[in-house]
Amino acid sequence: MPRTHKPKTISIRDVAELAGVSLGSASRVINKVANVSEATREKVERAIAQLGYRPNHAAQSLRLRSSRTVGCLLTDVANPLYAKLYRGLEERLHPHGYMMLLANSLNQAEREVEILSTFVSRGMDGLLIAPGNERDREVLAAVRSLPVPTVILDRDMDSPNDSVLFDHVPGVKGVVQHLAQLGHKRIAMVLSQSPNRPIRRRTEGYRVGHRAAKLEVNEEFIVHLPSATSSAFEAVSLLLRRTDRPTALLVMGTSILNDTLNAIGAQRLRIPDDVSVVSFGDPDFAASHVPAISSLRIDLDRAADAATDMLLARMRGESGAPRSVTLVGDFIERGSCGPAPKKT
């Protein structure tokens, strides 16, 4: 019986020899380490292509104690803002040789604890997390005990981790004051029902804005939906059918915004003649809608830059006290804001 010959396994040593560089230099190129000259990088990459070399990541993980993976915990990837943030994080980590693994917690505390445990058991090098249940005792305990570098995304958590936060209060306060200056006295807000930081801070900004504008808060004008993807059509329709209907709406820039626009159309109301609209977040369709929708925009690119910079520094071994970066939203005024109607 003819003997079959097993194809030779191409090793990193073969790559180094063909490229004419040291084993260490070849390893640094393969692992996308920064301190390599461009000439060396080009020689190693040519050798890799010529030999058809494929790194053995399992062996690398055991040898280097690095999996070259980063875990990302988000609450609901159906939310376009989370999807855009994830893409920004992934684009920034990829050039450094890291693959991101995404887990969707669906705002369930038990699921979040399980995901964090799985990330650790799978040997993730670092984590980027935005738990939906930041005040849950078990979730907080799981975050505090994480043994790998972790950056928390827009959550108030008493834990020894770096964080990137958005200062929602002044942004929402400013929007309410702007609408008040346009003559609006009945301003409603439609949000998802969640105990997390963005919802709490936006609600706080709404109340602070009313006080600054010397307006009373009508508690019935603060509408909380079950989730960011829950239908807002009926809730907004009920608001607009009131005899004292709001003349301005602040809504989350997800499917809630789309449902809000449909509800306004179904009531045969016009934007901004009958009702002004401002979106929290700036979804892609906001600028192209007719009229274009004013937005309190969160700079997700700056958030991704800050989060990945901190995480990469920690994964390289940088120590020190927890750091926090706070970003302020930008109000983008478009055609959906106008003076309050004279008769409603």
Side-chain angles (χ1 to χ4, degrees):
M1 184 175 181
R3 183 179 296 176
T4 58
H5 293 281
K6 200 173 180 181
K8 179 189 174 185
T9 301
I10 304 300
S11 71
I12 187 173
R13 192 175 298 279
D14 298 318
V15 172
E17 289 178 359
L18 181 59
V21 301
S22 69
L23 194 61
S25 294
S27 176
R28 285 194 292 274
V29 172
I30 290 167
N31 289 299
K32 300 185 184 298
V33 177
N35 61 336
V36 181
S37 71
E38 191 59 33
T40 298
R41 189 178 303 281
E42 289 177 359
K43 286 192 287 187
V44 172
E45 289 176 347
R46 281 198 299 269
I48 289 172
Q50 186 173 334
L51 294 171
Y53 172 73
R54 295 291 180 271
N56 184 334
H57 291 293
Q60 285 180 325
S61 296
L62 290 173
R63 185 170 61 255
L64 303 174
R65 295 187 178 181
S66 170
S67 64
R68 308 302 294 179
T69 56
V70 169
C72 182
L73 165 64
L74 299 177
T75 55
D76 190 349
V77 294
N79 183 331
L81 298 181
Y82 277 135
K84 190 177 292 187
L85 175 61
Y86 176 79
R87 184 175 65 191
L89 295 168
E90 187 177 45
E91 287 175 351
R92 286 157 177 79
L93 285 170
H94 181 263
H96 295 276
Y98 289 97
M99 174 180 289
M100 281 188 68
L101 297 181
L102 174 64
N104 187 25
S105 77
L106 304 178
N107 268 314
Q108 298 172 11
E110 184 178 348
R111 187 181 176 105
E112 289 173 347
V113 173
E114 179 185 350
I115 288 169
L116 293 174
S117 176
T118 300
F119 280 162
V120 173
S121 67
R122 294 293 177 89
M124 302 291 168
D125 293 331
L127 304 178
L128 295 157
I129 63 172
N133 298 274
E134 62 194 82
R135 293 186 169 180
D136 181 87
R137 185 173 59 184
E138 292 187 5
V139 172
L140 183 56
V143 172
R144 285 173 174 168
S145 65
L146 289 170
V148 296
T150 300
V151 175
I152 297 173
L153 306 171
D154 205 25
R155 298 291 185 264
D156 290 324
M157 305 191 80
D158 182 15
S159 64
N161 301 107
D162 297 330
S163 60
V164 176
L165 306 174
F166 293 108
D167 198 355
H168 300 279
V169 174
V172 179
K173 173 187 174 184
V175 170
V176 171
Q177 288 180 293
H178 175 71
L179 290 169
Q181 289 170 358
L182 291 173
H184 295 275
K185 296 181 179 178
R186 299 194 300 275
I187 304 168
M189 182 173 62
V190 185
L191 302 167
S192 62
Q193 178 66 53
S194 173
N196 65 35
R197 182 179 195 276
I199 302 302
R200 292 197 312 272
R201 298 291 177 145
R202 286 167 180 159
T203 303
E204 180 184 349
Y206 175 85
R207 296 183 184 280
V208 170
H210 274 71
R211 288 198 297 270
K214 295 181 170 52
L215 296 176
E216 289 189 15
V217 173
N218 184 339
E219 297 297 330
E220 294 181 357
F221 282 1
I222 303 176
V223 178
H224 289 286
L225 303 170
S227 75
T229 55
S230 298
S231 175
F233 183 86
E234 186 58 33
V236 175
S237 296
L238 288 173
L239 283 174
L240 297 177
R241 286 198 290 263
R242 294 173 61 114
T243 55
D244 62 341
R245 66 173 176 81
T247 60
L249 297 172
L250 312 182
V251 302
M252 289 180 65
T254 57
S255 59
I256 293 176
L257 173 60
N258 196 44
D259 285 343
T260 296
L261 298 175
N262 287 335
I264 292 170
Q267 296 298 314
R268 300 186 182 278
L269 298 174
R270 297 165 299 167
I271 304 172
D273 298 338
D274 301 312
V275 60
S276 291
V277 178
V278 176
S279 165
F280 295 146
D282 194 26
D284 293 338
F285 72 88
S288 59
H289 186 271
V290 180
I293 305 301
S294 300
S295 298
L296 185 57
R297 183 172 61 189
I298 295 173
D299 194 333
L300 297 177
D301 286 328
R302 287 179 62 200
D305 283 339
T308 53
D309 285 349
M310 286 194 288
L311 187 65
L312 288 167
R314 296 298 191 188
M315 290 191 298
R316 287 193 295 264
E318 187 173 305
S319 60
R323 294 167 298 179
S324 183
V325 174
T326 300
L327 305 175
V328 179
D330 300 314
F331 179 50
I332 312 298
E333 186 173 8
R334 300 187 177 113
S336 66
C337 287
K342 293 180 180 179
K343 294 181 180 181
T344 57

